[in-house]
Amino acid sequence: MAVYDAQLGLLSHRLHSQVAMHQAYGGVVPELASRDHVRRLLPLVREALNDARSDQGSIDGVAYTAGPGLIGALLVGASFAASLAYAWGKPVVGVHHLEGHLLAPLLEAKSPAFPFLALLVSGGHTQLVEVTALGEYRILGETLDDAAGEAFDKTAKLLGLPYPGGAALAQLAESGRPNRFVFPRPMLDRPGLDFSFSGLKTAALVALRGRVLDDDTRADVARGFQEAVVETLAEKCRRALQLTGHRRLVVAGGVGANRHLRERLASVANGMGAELYYPRSEFCTDNGAMIALAGCLRLTAGSRGSLAILARANWELSGNGNRGLEL
Ligand code: KG4
Ligand code: ZN
């Protein structure tokens, strides 16, 4: 939840994480997620407005995530946003979740101008996107199977780390030795900008088979795995910069919080005469600030949603995509 001002920037943001609630189940339980949204939304709005020293009178519009994602959670957010907009007599706009991630670096002081190339790496998506303007997105490459964050989470599980284990795996990798386990670099031997990460967790499984899972071995596997993912992402970014001629590279999405990835991308950008941009870590993972920013840009550009409740479980970023569930 966040309050964003077109001139002043971000005025406040609040996050209620459901990670602890879902951890016991090893993944997100959709029904629990929706019910918790119902409980949390109203107090969070109050807190965000208080923090920003704003009230409903100073709000010009309401933005919400319209998809893609779990339909129950999306419906809760969409109904709530439409009700708020109706009660306040203000316009409402549904934002694409990935558009929020792509624009998140604009929340920072060092923010990229259009056009730029973006590596979007989250738990559900891994894409290289050319961003020419607000709403102008072209997907240059994407994963053919698992997303990078999903591969991190699955391998973290093999290493006995709690869900979602991406950040914990990265932490464990810090103390690992670099060359004890060398994992394949998927898709680097082929031209193009697509990714594939499902083989890496199998490679990790094979590496661990028959071994005593002592702390050193777990750290060394984490290190080898992280190197393989980061190296693959970095090389595809280098190729994308080369192919498109863009000189601004953005990294966004949960895996964008990975320190090692940022370092490798900074060196790729440097080598190509490009500049690297990323949001602070808390705005890499899912957050309300990026949706408030994207909504503000859309409302300023004249976008207006209807009060119909719009939620799309599947929604392509580029093109018109699927019609979602409109009530
Ligand atoms: O963008 P996000 O918060 O949610 C989705 O839209 O998916 O991304 C969450 C993903 C999870 O897979 C999580 O394990 C991963 O981002 N992640 C990380 C790190 N922090 C979060 N992966 C690697 N290194 C990190 N430091
Ligand atoms: Zn996300």
Side-chain angles (χ1 to χ4, degrees):
M1 193 72 64
V3 180
Y4 188 88
D5 182 283
Q7 265 80 48
L8 302 174
L10 189 64
L11 299 184
S12 71
H13 66 98
R14 286 269 179 163
L15 181 101
H16 166 71
S17 170
Q18 296 186 343
V19 163
M21 184 178 78
H22 296 300
Q23 222 156 38
Y25 304 92
V28 174
V29 184
E31 185 58 24
L32 291 184
S34 317
R35 285 169 190 238
D36 202 41
H37 275 52
V38 173
R39 269 193 299 270
R40 301 289 176 171
L41 279 174
L42 202 51
L44 276 178
V45 165
R46 288 210 181 96
E47 287 165 15
L49 284 174
N50 276 341
D51 291 352
R53 302 187 193 293
S54 307
D55 56 27
Q56 64 184 71
S58 54
I59 299 293
D60 296 320
V62 180
Y64 67 97
T65 305
L70 291 172
I71 195 68
L74 291 171
L75 279 171
V76 173
S79 338
F80 183 80
S83 312
L84 213 55
Y86 176 70
W88 290 354
K90 298 290 159 65
V92 60
V93 63
V95 171
H96 195 293
H97 177 69
L98 298 185
E99 176 170 75
H101 276 305
L102 284 178
L103 300 178
L106 302 181
L107 290 162
E108 304 302 339
K110 182 191 173 189
S111 99
F114 296 125
F116 57 78
L117 192 71
L119 174 69
L120 183 58
V121 268
S122 72
H125 294 85
T126 299
Q127 297 180 332
L128 265 163
V129 187
E130 182 177 54
V131 179
T132 28
L134 178 69
E136 307 250 326
Y137 312 121
R138 188 161 70 103
I139 294 169
L140 305 177
E142 60 190 329
T143 184
L144 305 177
D145 40 58
D146 288 357
E150 192 179 354
F152 262 93
D153 293 343
K154 286 178 176 170
T155 305
K157 193 172 178 185
L158 294 176
L159 293 169
L161 299 166
Y163 171 88
L169 188 153
Q171 178 78 37
L172 189 61
E174 296 282 334
S175 58
R177 286 166 292 176
N179 292 316
R180 181 163 165 219
F181 295 99
V182 177
F183 291 99
R185 271 61 172 155
M187 310 284 286
L188 284 196
D189 54 345
R190 288 182 229 180
L193 298 172
D194 286 333
F195 305 92
S196 163
F197 289 113
S198 66
L200 270 182
K201 67 160 194 290
T202 314
L205 188 64
V206 171
L208 289 168
R209 195 171 286 154
R211 284 182 198 277
V212 182
L213 256 191
D214 56 61
D215 287 351
D216 284 347
T217 302
R218 290 167 68 244
D220 293 345
V221 168
R223 175 81 185 246
F225 168 83
Q226 177 173 263
E227 299 257 324
V229 176
V230 166
E231 204 46 49
T232 308
L233 293 172
E235 171 56 16
K236 294 280 169 162
C237 285
R238 194 194 59 76
R239 285 185 198 173
L241 285 171
Q242 195 167 39
L243 286 168
T244 60
H246 285 301
R247 286 296 167 263
R248 282 181 284 269
L249 175 64
V250 155
V251 56
V255 184
N258 188 280
R259 196 181 61 79
H260 186 54
L261 175 63
R262 289 181 177 194
E263 282 171 9
R264 281 292 294 122
L265 291 179
S267 113
V268 163
N270 197 24
M272 299 292 294
E275 199 65 47
L276 178 69
Y277 301 85
Y278 44 80
R280 70 195 86 160
S281 292
E282 65 179 321
F283 294 156
C284 278
T285 43
D286 291 348
N287 66 87
M290 67 186 193
I291 303 300
L293 163 85
C296 176
L297 294 180
R298 288 222 164 246
L299 287 167
T300 308
S303 281
R304 292 290 180 273
S306 73
L307 284 176
I309 292 156
L310 183 66
R312 299 174 174 186
N314 298 303
W315 187 7
E316 296 296 324
L317 180 63
S318 50
N320 292 326
N322 310 336
R323 292 291 300 153
L325 180 61
E326 196 167 344
L327 300 176

